Amino acid sequence: MTLQQLKYVIEVAKSRSINKAAQNLFISQPSLSNALKELEEKIGITVFSRTNKGIVITPEGSEFLGYARQVVEQAELLENRYTKTRSPQQNFSVSGQHYAFAVSAFVRLLKEYDREEYEFTLRETRTYEIIADVKDLRSEIGILYLNDFNQHVIQKFLREGNLKFHELFEAKPHVFISSTNPLAVQEYVTLSDLDPYPYLSYEQGDYNSFYFSEEILSTLTRPKNIKVSDRATLFNLLIGLNGYTISTGVISHKLNSKDIIAVPLKVDERIHVGYITHKSVTTSKLGNIYIQYLKESIGEELQQL
């Protein structure tokens, strides 16, 4: 097993395609395929399954990739320390539901990360894809919520992916509405108060199950429904249409307009927001710093509720 082979495996996992990985590595596709086959024979496991839809990382492959990344990172640190070359480009990825505090922590990480080169990724995406990203090592950290309704299903997917949920905070449900909405003057709102207004939620694509919904109480029937795919669109519709969505109440006014406010929703529910990691992968230095910034950003926003 060589360091070059480990780099090949990591690039294929990142590209999700042998052809694309070969182009990025400046080698031929047959050479890369042969190198992967030789490595898999050497270690006695199948790292990638080849399907009609492309490359899929096997459970054994996910574990192997975790170790491979650590070896390559340590080799780069060793080379940098003793050959006095410039620092290697750092990579860090996060996938999460649409939480402003996750963006705030990401902004702070980038502002305080003083390097000439880096490649950071923040994916605000669907619940199923968050789990898949961390499982397949496309992201080191995933951010999502659990509650009494979805936790049995979500925890099943986490166990199958060898993932662990770490709770960050527990929240009482709130609605996000425009500051000009007639409900904005109320101390709290009820579900019946919300009936005249459009309900906004994030669409979940092929995995549009109630259990993967980013909003609690997803099984309730509502007369007016609008699904969106990004946070900016949702906030614009909250203002433009006097719509509402259900969330934690934690909102960053540093990043978002003060035209959006949070009002408590009178329901007997709790939201447990946390992050997920892969059990076979040691959290990186950047990952630990980001988690600390997450906690600090959440603390700052909770004080404003």
Side-chain angles (χ1 to χ4, degrees):
M1 187 189 313
T2 67
L3 190 62
Q4 189 64 60
Q5 287 174 319
L6 298 183
K7 291 180 179 179
Y8 286 171
V9 170
I10 292 170
E11 183 59 40
V12 172
K14 178 181 177 182
S15 302
R16 314 296 290 177
S17 163
I18 291 181
N19 286 334
K20 186 175 180 181
Q23 293 174 9
N24 294 340
L25 293 165
F26 301 102
I27 63 173
S28 69
Q29 186 267 328
S31 297
L32 179 56
S33 295
N34 290 335
L36 293 176
K37 182 178 179 181
E38 180 182 334
L39 175 63
E40 289 178 327
E41 290 176 352
K42 183 78 172 180
I43 61 179
I45 66 170
T46 299
V47 179
F48 301 109
S49 293
R50 285 75 169 172
T51 71
N52 293 333
K53 295 182 178 181
I55 291 294
V56 176
I57 304 173
T58 66
E60 297 85 358
S62 291
E63 182 177 6
F64 178 78
L65 272 163
Y67 289 112
R69 289 179 189 277
Q70 292 181 58
V71 170
V72 171
E73 288 175 1
Q74 291 298 317
E76 289 174 343
L77 289 172
L78 189 66
E79 180 180 2
N80 182 60
R81 172 67 178 83
Y82 289 102
T83 62
K84 300 185 189 299
T85 60
R86 62 183 175 85
S87 299
Q89 184 186 71
Q90 291 292 299
N91 296 273
F92 179 67
S93 296
V94 176
S95 295
Q97 293 174 331
H98 298 76
Y99 294 122
F101 62 80
V103 181
S104 296
F106 199 79
V107 169
R108 182 173 175 185
L109 179 66
L110 282 167
K111 283 184 174 179
E112 298 192 15
Y113 187 74
D114 186 20
R115 291 286 183 93
E116 291 183 359
E117 294 186 16
Y118 56 77
E119 182 175 327
F120 284 14
T121 304
L122 176 61
R123 300 183 182 93
E124 285 192 331
T125 188
R126 300 161 179 167
T127 303
Y128 181 86
E129 292 170 0
I130 295 167
I131 297 171
D133 281 350
V134 180
K135 172 181 175 290
D136 294 339
L137 306 179
R138 287 191 293 273
S139 288
E140 182 176 339
I141 293 170
I143 302 170
L144 46 73
Y145 84 92
L146 299 178
N147 70 344
D148 288 342
F149 176 74
N150 74 0
Q151 66 177 342
H152 298 296
V153 172
I154 298 296
Q155 289 284 18
K156 175 179 179 291
F157 277 86
L158 297 183
R159 287 193 298 272
E160 291 175 350
N162 199 27
L163 308 177
K164 183 178 181 180
F165 178 82
H166 313 259
E167 184 167 325
L168 288 166
F169 68 102
E170 176 185 317
K172 296 179 180 180
H174 287 65
V175 292
F176 286 162
I177 57 175
S178 166
S179 59
T180 60
N181 188 301
L183 299 176
V185 298
Q186 297 188 187
E187 182 180 351
Y188 62 83
V189 297
T190 65
L191 291 172
S192 60
D193 290 333
L194 297 169
D195 280 344
Y197 302 96
Y199 170 62
L200 299 167
S201 60
Y202 292 105
E203 58 95 14
Q204 297 295 322
D206 293 338
Y207 294 90
N208 201 27
S209 162
F210 292 128
Y211 297 107
F212 289 108
S213 174
E214 191 165 329
E215 303 80 21
I216 66 168
L217 305 173
S218 58
T219 59
L220 296 182
T221 301
R222 297 174 173 88
K224 302 175 182 179
N225 294 274
I226 302 173
K227 291 190 178 295
V228 301
S229 59
D230 72 86
R231 187 154 45 91
T233 299
L234 184 140
F235 279 10
N236 286 335
L237 292 176
L238 289 183
I239 297 171
L241 298 176
N242 262 346
Y244 75 95
T245 193
I246 300 176
S247 189
T248 62
V250 179
I251 184 170
S252 173
H253 289 300
K254 293 179 181 179
L255 298 176
N256 298 295
S257 168
K258 292 186 178 181
D259 293 331
I260 302 295
I261 65 169
V263 179
L265 177 62
K266 193 175 182 180
V267 291
D268 187 21
E269 297 279 345
R270 291 293 184 273
I271 305 170
H272 301 270
V273 179
Y275 64 94
I276 59 174
T277 57
H278 201 294
K279 291 181 180 179
S280 299
V281 179
T282 302
T283 304
S284 69
K285 180 180 179 181
L286 288 175
N288 284 320
I289 295 172
Y290 179 72
I291 292 167
Q292 182 59 39
Y293 289 167
L294 271 180
K295 295 176 180 178
E296 293 176 7
S297 296
I298 291 166
E300 292 169 2
E301 300 303 332
L302 286 175
Q303 290 177 2
Q304 300 180 29
L305 285 180

